Amino acid sequence: MSQEIAVVGSPEFTTGFRLAGVRKFENVPQDEKDEELDDAVESVLEDDDVGIAVMHDDDLDALSRQVREEVETSVEPTFVTIGGGAAGGSGLRDQIKRAIGIDLMAEED
């Protein structure tokens, strides 16, 4: 069974993904982020059809500690954060390693 990509974030963030064909999304308006972001992320975590979830890097700071820990340790779905520039290449490298279990970018000896 193939799994889908889901996007969680502000309507401005999710629109581009929706236009690209992503069908699962959770819109959380910026002014309601503190109240609704945890619920939106938990909804994606509980959806068995989602294999990859995309969020904006800045939205991680708005999550409660418990939900953020779930996001950071979740293997299925794997959460990928983009934007913000804080994670850089090593952050993406760690996310890929966590998702598939090996470091694809490791240098051979």
Side-chain angles (χ1 to χ4, degrees), residues 16-65:
F17 291 94
R18 291 172 49 209
L19 291 172
V22 174
R23 294 177 292 182
K24 292 193 177 263
F25 59 93
E26 293 285 337
N27 281 332
V28 181
Q30 191 70 23
D31 59 340
E32 298 172 13
K33 189 187 299 187
D34 292 337
E35 299 85 23
E36 296 185 17
L37 190 59
D38 278 358
D39 291 337
V41 169
E42 286 177 338
S43 175
V44 170
L45 281 165
E46 294 169 1
D47 189 337
D48 292 335
D49 293 334
V50 175
I52 298 173
V54 180
M55 290 180 64
H56 194 281
D57 190 53
D58 293 340
D59 287 344
L60 285 178
D61 295 333
L63 294 173
S64 67
R65 184 170 22 147

Side-chain angles (χ1 to χ4, degrees), residues 75-89:
V75 174
E76 194 172 300
T78 298
F79 276 79
V80 176
T81 58
I82 59 174

Side-chain angles (χ1 to χ4, degrees), residues 61-95:
D61 295 333
L63 294 173
S64 67
R65 184 170 22 147
Q66 178 183 351
V67 175
R68 182 178 177 141
E69 189 173 297
E70 288 180 56
V71 165
E72 290 174 344
T73 59
S74 177
V75 174
E76 194 172 300
T78 298
F79 276 79
V80 176
T81 58
I82 59 174
S90 64
L92 181 58
R93 179 180 183 173
D94 291 341
Q95 291 174 7

